[in-house]
């Protein structure tokens, strides 16, 4: 017990789509208006099924109908009916939009991954700095008193070698030798390569 359903209304035949499209190809705006009224609903429905986004679907449907206006002369009746031709254009345009959006998302993801810099861990940096300072203090304690004083004056107070020799009352040559020996011992104690 199924009743026949007519999309164009009960008892009224639908418009002659091939004739309308031929008139659209010649630039007939009234024919395009009638064609638009007939195909815009199915076009929007198909595009919405592909895109799922109402705003983008409306935009793509408008693009499709504009393309139908521009390419109406390319339609060939011997290759198929008008409605499937229009819906093929709509489907292709919707799939292109999905692919374009996916490509943009992939580009953004690759760009974000390439520009990702690790987060600076301030606590780890502080702990590492403390451990290094403690190791330097331990290694300084292993030096002789003259070596430790010479390095402290030169590297922590900024004295020159002659100034260190003057403060310590030691010949300049002796200070240079002691500092060289002290630096070698520090290097070995800290495990720094030569």
């Amino acid at each position: 017990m199924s009743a026949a359903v007519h999309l164009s209304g009960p008892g009224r035949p639908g418009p002659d789509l091939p004739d309308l499209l031929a008139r659209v190809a010649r630039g007939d705006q009234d024919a395009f208006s009638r064609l638009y009224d007939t195909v815009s609903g199915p076009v929007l429905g198909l595009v919405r099924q592909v895109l799922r986004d109402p705003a983008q679907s409306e935009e793509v449907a408008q693009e499709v109908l504009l393309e139908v206006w521009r390419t109406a002369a390319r339609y060939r009746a011997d290759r198929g009916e008008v409605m499937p031709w229009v819906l093929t254009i709509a489907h292709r345009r919707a799939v292109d939009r999905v692919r374009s959006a996916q490509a943009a998302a992939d580009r953004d993801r690759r760009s974000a991954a390439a520009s990702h810099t690790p987060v600076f861990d301030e606590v780890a940096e502080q702990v590492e700095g403390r451990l290094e300072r403690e190791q330097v203090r331990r290694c300084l304690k292993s030096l002789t008193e003259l070596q430790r004083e010479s390095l402290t004056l030169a590297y922590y107070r900024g004295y020159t070698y002659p100034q260190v020799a003057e403060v310590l009352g030691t010949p300049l040559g002796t200070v240079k030798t002691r500092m060289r020996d002290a630096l070698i011992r520090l290097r070995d104690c800290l495990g720094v390569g030569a």
Side-chain angles (χ1 to χ4, degrees):
M1 217 181 12
S2 63
V5 177
H6 299 282
L7 294 177
S8 60
R12 289 188 314 182
D16 182 9
L17 293 180
D19 177 57
L20 285 176
L21 198 57
R23 290 173 37 207
V24 168
R26 292 188 300 268
D28 185 337
Q29 292 181 2
D30 291 332
F32 181 71
S33 178
R34 290 186 59 209
L35 181 71
Y36 183 98
D37 290 342
T38 304
V39 302
S40 62
V43 165
L44 181 60
L46 175 66
V47 170
R48 188 172 280 182
Q49 282 180 345
V50 174
L51 295 178
R52 306 273 187 221
D53 178 357
Q56 280 195 31
S57 298
E58 290 173 8
E59 185 179 318
V60 170
Q62 288 299 318
E63 291 172 7
V64 167
L65 292 166
L66 183 61
E67 186 173 343
V68 167
W69 169 260
R70 287 193 314 252
T71 63
R74 293 185 197 162
Y75 169 72
R76 298 289 174 252
D78 58 335
R79 292 189 180 169
E81 296 181 24
V82 172
M83 188 60 82
W85 180 73
V86 171
L87 292 178
T88 299
I89 293 171
H91 186 263
R92 287 179 181 159
R93 188 63 75 116
V95 168
D96 286 348
R97 177 66 64 97
V98 169
R99 287 179 180 155
S100 175
Q102 183 63 45
D106 290 346
R107 267 192 314 276
D108 290 345
R109 202 171 15 263
R110 283 192 306 271
S111 175
S115 67
H116 175 71
T117 55
V119 178
F120 177 70
D121 188 350
E122 188 175 330
V123 174
E125 187 72 24
Q126 288 175 353
V127 169
E128 187 176 318
R130 283 184 187 150
L131 291 173
E132 287 174 355
R133 284 191 298 275
E134 187 56 42
Q135 187 177 9
V136 168
R137 282 189 197 107
R138 185 175 39 80
C139 289
L140 280 172
K141 287 180 183 176
S142 71
L143 301 176
T144 67
E145 186 65 32
L146 184 57
Q147 289 173 329
R148 188 172 37 255
E149 285 182 72
S150 299
L151 285 180
T152 302
L153 290 171
Y155 289 98
Y156 290 107
R157 299 226 174 113
Y159 286 28
T160 63
Y161 283 15
Q163 291 171 329
V164 170
E166 185 180 326
V167 168
L168 295 177
T170 309
L172 180 60
T174 303
V175 167
K176 287 181 178 181
T177 301
R178 298 276 164 82
M179 287 184 64
R180 189 198 73 212
D181 292 343
L183 289 173
I184 290 170
R185 286 181 66 185
L186 274 178
R187 180 192 68 201
D188 293 342
C189 180
L190 294 171
V192 178

